[in-house]
Amino acid sequence: MTISMYEASVPVFSTRLKALSNVLAAAEQNALDRKIDPQVFLTARLAPDMFALTRQVQIATDHAKGAPSRLAGREVPKYEDNEASFADLEARIAKTLALLATFSAADIDGSDDKVIELKLGGRETSLAGMQYLLHVAMPNFYFHLTTAYDILRHNGVPLGKATFLGSR
């Protein structure tokens, strides 16, 4: 049985981004409830050499918009990376979800062997579509998604696995 490149990408990115939106909404509400300046959460990081929450969300959305675009042979949309509030991050997620809704299975299925060229670690590399999706795009997406969740959880936002998974 062959994997559907569309099913392995667009619906997964969409579902996880909707869950991330719920995580961010919970964090914003928690900041209000605890009378914490939202910037405390937005600029928080797990370690000094890691990106802050805002950048984690930006990179997660970059992978969610980049992978299907590359697999479909479309230009990857550029975002400005100028988000400075929870509302800005929510708008970025909404923009990414709207982009994802423009893809169909016909756009992406069959891209398993399509050559994807990109820079990894500062050097040009070429990967087959399935290798790119499963070994670069998805792991990076999940890393930044999970790190965003972990930053908020570490800062006392009462989140659970169900929120991360999007089941509430």
Side-chain angles (χ1 to χ4, degrees), residues 118-126:
L118 65 154
K119 278 191 178 181
L120 288 176
R123 63 173 222 245
E124 296 287 331
T125 191
S126 297

Side-chain angles (χ1 to χ4, degrees), residues 18-36:
K18 289 172 188 171
L20 178 59
S21 182
N22 292 337
V23 165
L24 295 176
E28 185 175 29
Q29 185 61 53
N30 184 258
L32 286 169
D33 293 348
R34 292 169 52 197
K35 297 178 180 33
I36 296 172

Side-chain angles (χ1 to χ4, degrees), residues 5-167:
M5 293 291 283
Y6 173 83
E7 289 297 328
S9 60
V10 173
V12 176
F13 290 130
S14 296
T15 300
R16 299 282 64 86
L17 287 177
K18 289 172 188 171
L20 178 59
S21 182
N22 292 337
V23 165
L24 295 176
E28 185 175 29
Q29 185 61 53
N30 184 258
L32 286 169
D33 293 348
R34 292 169 52 197
K35 297 178 180 33
I36 296 172
D37 180 350
Q39 288 302 309
V40 170
F41 290 162
L42 294 167
T43 60
R45 56 188 74 223
L46 288 179
D49 65 344
M50 292 181 77
F51 290 125
L53 174 68
T54 297
R55 188 71 183 123
Q56 299 293 344
V57 174
Q58 291 168 341
I59 296 171
T61 56
D62 285 346
H63 284 287
K65 69 182 169 71
S69 296
R70 288 184 183 96
L71 293 170
R74 295 185 192 174
E75 188 169 329
V76 179
K78 303 261 190 270
Y79 293 174
E80 291 187 39
D81 295 338
N82 59 358
E83 292 79 16
S85 67
F86 280 107
D88 291 345
L89 291 176
E90 293 281 0
R92 184 182 178 112
I93 291 170
K95 181 167 51 169
T96 305
L97 288 168
L99 173 72
L100 291 172
T102 69
F103 291 97
S104 69
D107 296 324
I108 296 173
D109 282 346
S111 62
D112 318 44
D113 296 321
K114 177 184 176 111
V115 176
I116 305 295
E117 296 183 7
L118 65 154
K119 278 191 178 181
L120 288 176
R123 63 173 222 245
E124 296 287 331
T125 191
S126 297
L127 298 163
M130 188 175 293
Q131 283 185 314
Y132 163 66
L133 178 63
L134 298 179
H135 298 286
V136 176
M138 293 307 257
N140 275 285
F141 173 73
Y142 274 106
F143 175 85
H144 294 285
L145 187 77
T146 302
T147 302
Y149 171 91
D150 290 345
I151 288 169
L152 294 168
R153 191 69 192 95
H154 177 76
N155 279 277
V157 178
L159 300 167
K161 187 176 182 181
T163 308
F164 177 81
L165 294 176
S167 51

